[in-house]
Amino acid sequence: MAELTNTKSPRVKAARRLTKRAFRDRDRAFLAEGPQAVREALALKDVTVELFTTVEAETRHADIVAAAVAAGVPVHRASGEVMSELTQTVTPQGLLAVCRFVHVPLAEAVPRGARLVAILAHVRDPGNAGTVLRTADAAGADAVVFTDASVDPYNGKCVRASAGSLFHLPVVTGTPVADAVRHAREAGLRVFAADGAGTRTLDEVALDTPAAWLFGNEAWGLPPELLALADEVVRVPIYGRAESLNLATAAAVCLYASARAQRQTLHSVEDPTTPAL
């Protein structure tokens, strides 16, 4: 295959413009960079539009390139200069895919019977948002909701921080916070707001119920009107001298606390161990 060397070619320019949200929204497409993200994108049918690879990456990740070819995805060999033009990292990994949007409607992502959901309210930092998405995936969450005032989940930094999890679980975008909370409650989830203003800590709250966790802005948390939407405001206990935890860390603690409590309850129901008296 011929190597793309012209950074101003129509194909390169069309992909490059997806670094800007306006073009992503217009084309309903985004960029997934690196072998992990590309591999997970290819695992979903009809998501990957095309793949750019350097010669070195083509050799190192031959399995990924082969998977793209087998799926009928056009593969373009790109020079280092072209790859640097397309990527947003200091040291490009040599693989970049153009992908179709993967988000789904709220009702589809959070059906009745869902057990664990993360709702991001006014979360602006893409690295934090992507890390929360990755953590929610690891904790076995059913979905992550990016409300209308939060960062775009297709932002390049957010996609990279998710480490492929964007392609693993349902993601919702653009929903008002109040609508997301109302739907979660209608689906049978108890809504917890994670905030330092909570009167009780994670240690003091029963978390074995289906839960939707509401996480706020990195700098100012959740304003009173959003705290009022929750069934309970809960704070993460601080045992040491740290003033607080950052958003992604606090979200990890809360999501895993819920997941652990739910799994323990499920295990005790399926395999009761209480001895007879």
Side-chain angles (χ1 to χ4, degrees):
M1 94 184 55
E3 185 177 65
L4 285 171
T5 59
N6 183 2
T7 60
K8 299 187 182 303
S9 71
R11 175 166 283 125
V12 174
K13 289 172 67 175
R16 173 64 183 171
R17 72 181 187 174
L18 296 178
T19 59
K20 298 187 181 300
R21 183 169 187 170
F23 287 110
R24 291 196 296 270
D25 290 342
R26 191 177 81 173
D27 295 352
R28 298 190 61 76
F30 66 103
L31 301 177
E33 181 182 346
Q36 178 65 19
V38 172
R39 184 181 290 110
E40 302 308 321
L42 286 168
L44 297 179
K45 185 179 180 181
D46 297 329
V47 166
T48 308
V49 176
E50 57 185 339
L51 175 66
F52 294 85
T53 177
T54 61
V55 173
E56 183 181 6
E58 187 178 354
T59 300
R60 183 186 304 121
H61 304 291
D63 59 323
I64 298 177
V65 176
V69 172
V73 174
V75 177
H76 313 298
R77 186 177 293 150
S79 67
E81 185 180 6
V82 166
M83 190 60 71
S84 294
E85 180 73 14
L86 291 173
T87 59
Q88 296 176 286
T89 53
V90 176
T91 307
Q93 298 181 66
L95 283 177
L96 181 135
V98 175
C99 301
R100 296 183 177 90
F101 279 3
V102 295
H103 62 266
V104 298
L106 180 62
E108 179 182 332
V110 187
R112 179 162 288 279
R115 302 286 303 179
L116 185 59
V117 174
I119 302 174
L120 305 186
H122 304 284
V123 173
R124 304 292 175 80
D125 181 84
N128 268 331
T131 301
V132 173
L133 178 52
R134 181 180 184 179
T135 301
D137 180 19
D142 295 278
V144 176
V145 181
F146 286 70
T147 59
D148 55 358
S150 288
V151 67
D152 175 16
Y154 302 118
N155 173 288
K157 187 175 181 179
C158 186
V159 175
R160 291 192 299 278
S162 80
S165 290
L166 175 63
F167 303 104
H168 290 170
L169 77 170
V171 171
V172 179
T173 67
T175 299
V177 178
D179 290 352
V181 169
R182 180 171 57 252
H183 178 81
R185 192 172 285 117
E186 290 172 352
L189 295 114
R190 182 168 175 79
V191 180
F192 295 102
D195 195 89
T199 56
R200 294 205 289 171
T201 71
L202 279 174
D203 298 337
E204 301 167 329
V205 177
L207 296 173
D208 56 350
T209 182
W213 280 96
L214 187 60
F215 301 112
N217 180 269
E218 295 84 354
W220 62 79
L222 291 163
E225 63 270 20
L226 295 188
L227 292 175
L229 297 175
D231 295 308
E232 183 154 9
V233 181
V234 182
R235 73 179 190 275
V236 176
I238 301 293
Y239 303 121
R241 298 173 61 187
E243 184 271 332
S244 64
L245 297 174
N246 70 19
L247 168 66
T249 303
V253 173
C254 294
L255 291 171
Y256 264 92
S258 274
R260 182 171 183 270
Q262 290 182 27
R263 289 173 69 85
Q264 287 180 330
T265 299
L266 180 63
H267 177 73
S268 67
V269 171
E270 293 179 346
D271 183 23
T273 57
T274 303
L277 297 177

